[in-house]
Amino acid sequence: MPAATVRQLTDAVYLSPDDNICVAARNLAAGEKLAIAGTSIQLAQPVRLGHKIAVRQVAKGAFVRKYGQIIGQATEAIEPGQWVHSHNLINGEFARDHASSTAVPPPPAPIVGRTFQGYKRPGGKAGTRNYIAVISTVNCSATVSRYIAQRFDRASLRDFPNVDGVIAVKHGGGCGIQYQGLQHEILNRTLAGMAKHPNIGGYLLVGLGCEQATSGYLMQSQNLLQIGGNGATRPVGPPVLSMQDQGGTTRTIEEGVRLLSELLPRVNDVRRESIPASEILLGTNCGGSDGSSGVTCNPALGIASDMLVAHGATTILAETPEIYGGEHLLLRRARSQAVGQKLLKQIRWWEEYVAKFGGAIDNNRSEEHTSELQSPYVI
């Protein structure tokens, strides 16, 4: 294999012939030479893994392309071999073709006969785990919910092999909001979604007692019932605790532990069974964007998603802001004009929402990798 090809594979990745940058595949030192994109470049400064390097001259105000797509505008002239990052690149504005359904992919060749070992829940949903959740209805009971869950460690669950664990579902809201207002309803749907999730075999609600996001309204508006398993009849409702009714933090924790101890045998009384792969519902979510996301994990998830769809399963892109700036690519693949317009409407909503608070959608980065002038972020 020619030396230039080896260096291209080990030192940097050139993703599209339309790109004017490549991506460092390892930490590179100033002065190193790369044979890539049909040319030879010398690095003007050190470039870390996942960061971008200009392979051609980029004029001030010109578009920078990655994956063959515009990812931003140069704020100054950039020479080949220079580091391309937030010091010389902004998101910028550019016209996007928002035509829908112009490149709808053909349905994948069906894959049949595959199964997984899961839990069949009432209502037809299937779970891959069997957890008990301690759900806090308000931020004031978050610590109590966490303490209750922590009491059920691996040793205490030894006699319940079908229970994967006890988790606390906490949040920072539920108080100081308009009753039945937008924030209240979003919180209600979110908490109910956790309670009804097929990976949750049973749950306990914990509140303070004076919050706007009351347990009573949550249960009534969302029709909350215990999930159960293997097609069993669903119980009447979940156990509910109010810290004020119980008389404080300690008493609420102890009562929560008692109630979960009673719930454990019921949640444990399920068995895994063979379930068609078509029942899988996969939610994909960003753990923090960095310079390697679009080169490594995102394509892998895309391939896995295509395979699941071929099985008749469903995958969901769970974070709308994650596609900002690339929504036109998804619009082309939308199954119908109506689906495309629904996505575009959501994008416009996000722009309006973020603008109200003086924010920007193009600043999602991996904080754990952030250091001065060296964040792996930028698209």
Side-chain angles (χ1 to χ4, degrees), residues 118-289:
Y119 299 103
K120 200 70 176 176
R121 303 297 192 184
K125 292 185 177 180
T128 58
R129 297 290 187 271
N130 191 37
Y131 289 106
I132 294 178
V134 185
I135 301 175
S136 176
T137 61
V138 65
N139 63 311
C140 309
S141 58
T143 300
V144 169
S145 298
R146 177 164 57 87
Y147 284 156
I148 293 173
Q150 286 177 345
R151 292 280 288 272
F152 294 87
D153 56 14
R154 190 176 298 274
S156 64
L157 297 175
R158 187 179 298 114
D159 295 331
F160 305 97
N162 296 323
V163 177
D164 290 298
V166 178
I167 62 173
V169 178
K170 314 180 300 296
H171 57 90
C175 189
I177 57 177
Q178 180 185 352
Y179 185 73
Q180 296 184 343
L182 177 61
Q183 287 183 310
H184 188 185
E185 297 299 342
I186 291 175
L187 177 61
N188 259 17
R189 293 196 300 270
T190 303
L191 296 180
M194 296 298 295
K196 295 177 181 179
H197 196 284
N199 283 350
I200 302 298
Y203 60 94
L204 164 69
L205 299 179
V206 183
L208 177 60
C210 59
E211 63 270 16
Q212 292 283 68
T214 63
S215 299
Y217 181 70
L218 171 62
M219 291 188 292
Q220 181 182 21
S221 63
Q222 300 297 322
N223 190 30
L224 288 191
L225 302 169
Q226 292 286 16
I227 289 181
N230 293 81
T233 303
R234 300 175 74 173
V236 174
V240 181
L241 288 178
S242 165
M243 293 171 61
Q244 292 176 350
D245 290 344
Q246 293 298 319
T249 296
T250 301
R251 291 182 179 179
T252 307
I253 293 170
E254 294 306 319
E255 180 63 8
V257 171
R258 186 189 70 80
L259 289 172
L260 287 198
S261 298
E262 293 180 349
L263 190 59
L264 268 171
R266 292 163 52 193
V267 176
N268 187 65
D269 190 23
V270 294
R271 297 291 183 272
R272 290 186 180 273
E273 58 184 280
S274 293
I275 299 173
S278 59
E279 296 296 315
I280 293 176
L281 176 60
L282 174 68
T284 59
N285 209 49
C286 174
S289 299

Side-chain angles (χ1 to χ4, degrees), residues 101-116:
S101 309
T102 58
V104 181
I111 303 176
V112 297
R114 302 289 181 87
T115 62
F116 68 98

Side-chain angles (χ1 to χ4, degrees), residues 73-95:
Q73 287 179 280
T75 58
E76 59 187 58
I78 304 174
E79 298 298 322
Q82 281 191 307
W83 176 37
V84 180
H85 193 51
S86 53
H87 64 289
N88 56 11
L89 178 67
I90 59 172
N91 193 55
E93 292 294 331
F94 61 95

Side-chain angles (χ1 to χ4, degrees), residues 16-53:
S16 168
D18 294 327
D19 291 352
N20 47 16
I21 59 95
C22 63
V23 180
R26 64 175 177 86
N27 291 338
L28 299 172
E32 288 199 53
K33 293 183 179 180
L34 302 180
I36 196 165
T39 187
S40 178
I41 60 175
Q42 184 170 6
L43 301 191
Q45 65 256 90
V47 180
R48 292 178 60 187
L49 169 68
H51 284 246
K52 297 176 288 298
I53 308 163

